[in-house]
Amino acid sequence: MSDGFAYRLRAVHVVFGTGSLARLAEVVTDAGLGRVLLVTTPGRRDTAAVATRALGDVVAGVLDGAAPHVPASLVADALREVERLQPDGTVAIGGGSAIGLGKALALRAGLPLVAVPTTYSGSEMTDVWGITAGDQKETGRDARVAPRSVVYDAGLTVSMPAALSAASGMNALAHCVEALYAPDRHPVSALLAREGIRILAASLPDVVRSPFDGGARERALFGAHLAGRALDLTSMGLHHKLCHVLGGTFGLPHAMTHAVLLPYVTACNASAAGRAMAEIATALGGETAWTGLHALRQALGITTTLRDLGLDAKDLDRAADLAVAGAYANPRPVTRDEVRDVLQAAYSGAPPRPE
Ligand code: NAD
């Protein structure tokens, strides 16, 4: 190691283990919260009901309408409920959409957040928030939105269908990939990212083959935890920017968009990120980073293209325009036309190739 490094770690109480949902009441009390608002997506109502029973009297109310990319109108509705119910904090149960609404309430109403993730999005470990008004998604970083406590119970992930599990796992892998070529990477973030890739690549095929395999589910969730931490410690690049544009403006499903794009953006950045590419290839056990990611994606049965996800060919131009608007970290400076080429390849399903 030749260079020194510095980084900050935010304090967060992490409880990890199958069955940990049973400890939620203790975790909420530990976080110093009295009455809490529970937020979830319509699809996770059953899990939220189990949590409500476990928490008992401390539940001030339940909001079960969370939606992808945190629509501003939902935040406004939720803030009215906060005004009415006066909770001390929020418990978000679900994937990135539920946690995203919890973060919006932390940002706008100052409510501390406890997260119980049920996907591999990694959002529970970060201070990154996003709110979508109209067709534009605004994102930012703010220490107030980072969950104070996180309860990881792999039992809650068993119900994720194989396709969502695979796509969500690729979302976690994308955090690790971009963390490795981030300008602010350091030995600790790199360690987390390499190990996250290794664990996710080894466990996701088992999860897809046997969704009820509790051991595989625990390993994948642990990989997602490491990925979330790596994401939190570094700045994301072109890949995350494109996913926000395609999700926020064109309504594409978040995790699946990550899964489709990742091998293409990795190949696009290859010439400017030699060390990261070698690390990714080694962690994946692939010949190159992008062929390894492409092979994993195929092994997981994710063979869709941006076209299959519902993007219209006429939107490729606007997506490229939006992706180069605004500054973000990327190892390789890319032109609008190069981004358009990446999108075109992912749209048609051509094999990923370095620029
Ligand atoms: P999601 O939360 O939208 O969930 C997708 C669907 O799966 C929903 O219908 C949900 O109810 C269902 N679901 C969730 N868990 C399930 C389970 N265990 N079993 C069965 N169904 C389940 O999807 P996501 O990919 O987790 O999150 C996407 C959102 O998260 C996007 O808005 C994205 O921008 C955000 N995100 C934010 C960060 C961050 O750091 N801020 C990181 C990653 C993703």
Side-chain angles (χ1 to χ4, degrees), residues 41 43-44 68-69 95-97 103 118-119 121 123 126 128 137 156-157 159-161 164 171 175 231 254-255:
T41 44
R44 294 296 84 212
H69 305 296
S97 296
K103 286 177 166 181
T118 64
T119 69
S121 83
S123 177
T126 81
V128 181
K137 184 168 182 176
L156 303 181
T157 64
S159 52
M160 248 198 296
L164 176 61
N171 184 179
H175 305 331
L231 167 67
H254 185 77

Side-chain angles (χ1 to χ4, degrees), residues 90-110:
T90 307
V91 174
I93 300 193
S97 296
I99 295 168
L101 182 56
K103 286 177 166 181
L105 294 182
L107 187 71
R108 295 280 156 81

Side-chain angles (χ1 to χ4, degrees), residues 75-154:
V75 178
D77 291 346
L79 286 171
R80 276 191 288 277
E81 281 301 277
V82 167
E83 191 57 36
R84 187 175 74 83
L85 299 167
Q86 297 289 316
D88 303 313
T90 307
V91 174
I93 300 193
S97 296
I99 295 168
L101 182 56
K103 286 177 166 181
L105 294 182
L107 187 71
R108 295 280 156 81
L111 291 182
L113 177 60
V114 173
V116 185
T118 64
T119 69
Y120 307 133
S121 83
S123 177
E124 69 282 354
M125 291 308 297
T126 81
D127 62 358
V128 181
W129 60 269
I131 296 176
T132 304
D135 67 358
Q136 300 284 326
K137 184 168 182 176
E138 189 193 351
T139 60
R141 284 188 179 245
D142 192 310
R144 287 173 299 171
V145 312
R148 196 176 269 193
S149 314
V150 181
V151 176
Y152 285 101
D153 182 344

Side-chain angles (χ1 to χ4, degrees), residues 10-71:
R10 242 191 351 268
V12 49
H13 180 201
V14 175
V15 177
F16 190 102
T18 299
S20 292
L21 187 64
R23 294 181 56 191
L24 184 59
E26 165 201 333
V27 169
V28 166
T29 307
D30 238 42
L33 304 179
R35 292 166 73 251
V36 292
L37 184 63
L38 219 132
V39 302
T40 193
T41 44
R44 294 296 84 212
R45 276 184 191 134
D46 291 355
T47 307
V50 175
T52 305
R53 281 195 294 277
L55 288 170
D57 289 350
V58 307
V59 177
V62 179
L63 294 182
D64 58 13
H69 305 296
V70 194

Side-chain angles (χ1 to χ4, degrees), residues 239-310:
H239 175 81
H240 280 73
K241 174 72 180 185
L242 277 175
C243 291
H244 283 146
V245 166
L246 293 173
T249 303
F250 302 102
L252 263 58
H254 185 77
M256 204 54 117
T257 305
H258 271 280
V260 168
L261 275 180
L262 187 60
Y264 294 100
V265 182
T266 306
C268 168
N269 278 326
S271 63
R275 172 174 62 165
M277 294 298 141
E279 290 172 323
I280 297 162
T282 303
L284 285 171
E287 199 177 313
T288 67
W290 60 97
T291 53
L293 289 167
H294 190 58
L296 175 64
R297 201 185 63 163
Q298 284 181 316
L300 297 178
I302 307 170
T303 52
T304 48
T305 59
L306 292 181
R307 180 177 44 213
D308 294 333
L309 295 187

